[in-house]
Amino acid sequence: MNIIEDIDIEKEEIMNKIRELVVISGKGGTGKSTIVSAFASLAKNKIIADCDVDAADLHLIFNPEIKEREYFIGGNIAELDKDKCIECGKCIELCRFDAIRKDFYIDSVACEGCSVCSHFCPVHAINMKPSVSGEVFISNTRFGPFVHARLEPGGENSGKLVTEVRKKAKKLAEEHKCDLIIIDGSPGTGCPVISSLAGADIILVVTEPTMSGLHDMERVIALARLFKLSPSVCINKYDINTDMSNKIEEYCQIEHIDFLGRLPYDNVTTKAMIESKTVIEYSDCEFSKHMKLLWKKLKDNLTVNG
């Protein structure tokens, strides 16, 4: 066996050990990022990734020191060469998004990059140029390496950006020989959530005891199951509506979903965030104790699945 084969085997062994924990929610505001940041302060030998690219906020707690950054090209937008343009109006007629005004100005915000105008321009006066939709960052934090991103307001292809964040997180995990990637996924059931879920090992769905919380939890669980994934569930702020919390737990029992526990309502989470700290760092309160129990259960699951 030669050196190259040895390196390939070692690389494969490292990759086989890497597990991905993705924390998602059916709706925003359930406390998903609070929980992920707490996990970051409890876990060892891990990479952290913020895949909630439409509204990233982990950096507010982590105060990352950016080491690498690169532009994210989300698609193309039309660009008009006025020297070539004969103002025939064909582009205005064909644009379904009203991105080209009567004075032949192209609104880059309205442009969807479909390239119809470029394709049918009789004098080839419109070209499609790459559009910068955001940035991807690799940073250092007090909890270890952190991959995060920023999507421009109205930026396209958030799902593709999530994929880029996950790719870089996996590469970092390989380089640092980490065995865990903790991912803060997006809320909802759209493209960024799908990109967060694909290929994950453990899915934790964070919900809250409200009718919308239950409904959206059901939707995101159905989405996870489409990918043949078996999500776990925890309830945040369970004590604001114990009847609904009981209904959520009963639903999990009926649907054979692993129910990992309940977290109490506590404004200490807000106070910790204001101080740019995780709740584990900020206080050894009741919420922190429940978080540690939740993390222990998840860690046991990761060990079993590993």
Side-chain angles (χ1 to χ4, degrees):
M1 187 176 293
N2 60 39
I3 295 175
I4 294 176
E5 289 174 336
D6 285 339
I7 293 172
D8 288 341
I9 290 172
E10 182 183 359
K11 179 179 177 181
E12 184 177 352
E13 288 175 349
I14 292 168
M15 292 305 292
N16 286 338
K17 291 178 183 176
I18 297 171
R19 296 290 176 263
E20 290 186 74
L21 164 62
V22 181
V23 182
I24 55 174
S25 58
K27 62 182 291 295
T30 62
K32 172 176 57 63
S33 297
T34 296
I35 291 170
V36 169
S37 66
F39 289 166
S41 61
L42 291 168
K44 297 178 180 178
N45 196 35
K46 80 287 182 179
I47 302 294
I48 314 152
D50 193 347
C51 288
D52 189 357
V53 297
D54 291 285
D57 55 10
L58 281 181
H59 64 281
L60 300 175
I61 300 174
F62 293 164
N63 291 319
E65 179 186 358
I66 296 173
K67 293 298 184 182
E68 297 179 29
R69 64 197 304 163
E70 65 179 51
Y71 289 120
F72 168 67
I73 306 300
N76 298 313
I77 58 172
E79 184 177 55
L80 177 66
D81 185 341
K82 290 196 173 183
D83 292 334
K84 290 184 179 179
C85 180
I86 59 174
E87 299 188 354
C88 65
K90 190 71 175 177
C91 55
I92 298 174
E93 176 190 342
L94 293 175
C95 182
R96 298 179 60 186
F97 305 101
D98 297 324
I100 307 175
R101 298 193 317 214
K102 291 182 180 179
D103 61 355
F104 296 94
Y105 169 81
I106 297 178
D107 184 343
S108 60
V109 175
C111 179
E112 289 290 321
C114 68
S115 76
V116 167
C117 57
S118 175
H119 182 77
F120 287 99
C121 178
V123 294
H124 307 292
I126 301 177
N127 297 306
M128 305 305 296
K129 68 173 185 177
S131 171
V132 175
S133 299
E135 289 183 278
V136 185
F137 310 97
I138 295 177
S139 300
N140 288 338
T141 74
R142 61 190 183 278
F143 303 118
F146 177 41
V147 185
H148 50 122
R150 178 183 61 83
L151 189 69
E152 294 283 356
E156 298 290 335
N157 283 321
S158 57
K160 182 180 176 183
L161 181 53
V162 167
T163 299
E164 288 299 312
V165 170
R166 288 187 66 191
K167 281 181 180 177
K168 291 187 181 298
K170 287 181 181 178
K171 184 178 179 183
L172 270 183
E174 179 184 349
E175 292 172 354
H176 291 263
K177 297 187 178 181
C178 294
D179 53 18
L180 177 63
I181 302 172
I182 302 175
I183 297 172
D184 186 0
S186 299
T189 56
C191 290
V193 182
I194 293 170
S195 296
S196 298
L197 288 175
D201 297 286
I202 292 286
I203 308 296
L204 176 63
V205 179
V206 182
T207 189
E208 60 185 12
T210 61
M211 283 302 297
S212 60
L214 173 59
H215 174 263
D216 292 334
M217 180 195 75
E218 292 174 351
R219 292 173 66 232
V220 78
I221 286 173
L223 176 65
R225 284 176 164 173
L226 284 176
F227 287 89
K228 309 299 181 185
L229 299 169
S230 300
S232 302
V233 167
C234 76
I235 305 173
N236 191 24
K237 300 172 281 190
Y238 82 90
D239 43 355
I240 65 172
N241 189 336
T242 53
D243 289 340
M244 183 58 69
S245 292
N246 292 335
K247 286 183 181 179
I248 291 172
E249 189 167 354
E250 288 170 10
Y251 169 86
C252 291
Q253 291 172 352
I254 293 168
E255 293 294 321
H256 305 289
I257 296 165
D258 192 10
F259 183 79
L260 295 184
R262 306 181 179 201
L263 298 169
Y265 173 79
D266 195 332
N267 61 10
V268 72
T269 58
T270 303
K271 293 177 180 178
M273 208 167 283
I274 291 171
E275 296 293 327
S276 296
K277 293 181 179 180
T278 72
V279 68
I280 303 296
E281 293 176 294
Y282 185 78
S283 171
D284 188 27
C285 58
E286 197 66 24
F287 186 91
S288 293
K289 292 174 183 176
H290 280 78
M291 274 298 317
K292 290 174 182 177
L293 289 173
L294 176 61
W295 172 244
K296 184 180 183 305
K297 290 180 181 179
L298 274 171
K299 194 164 66 166
D300 290 343
N301 285 350
L302 284 163
T303 301
V304 169
N305 289 342

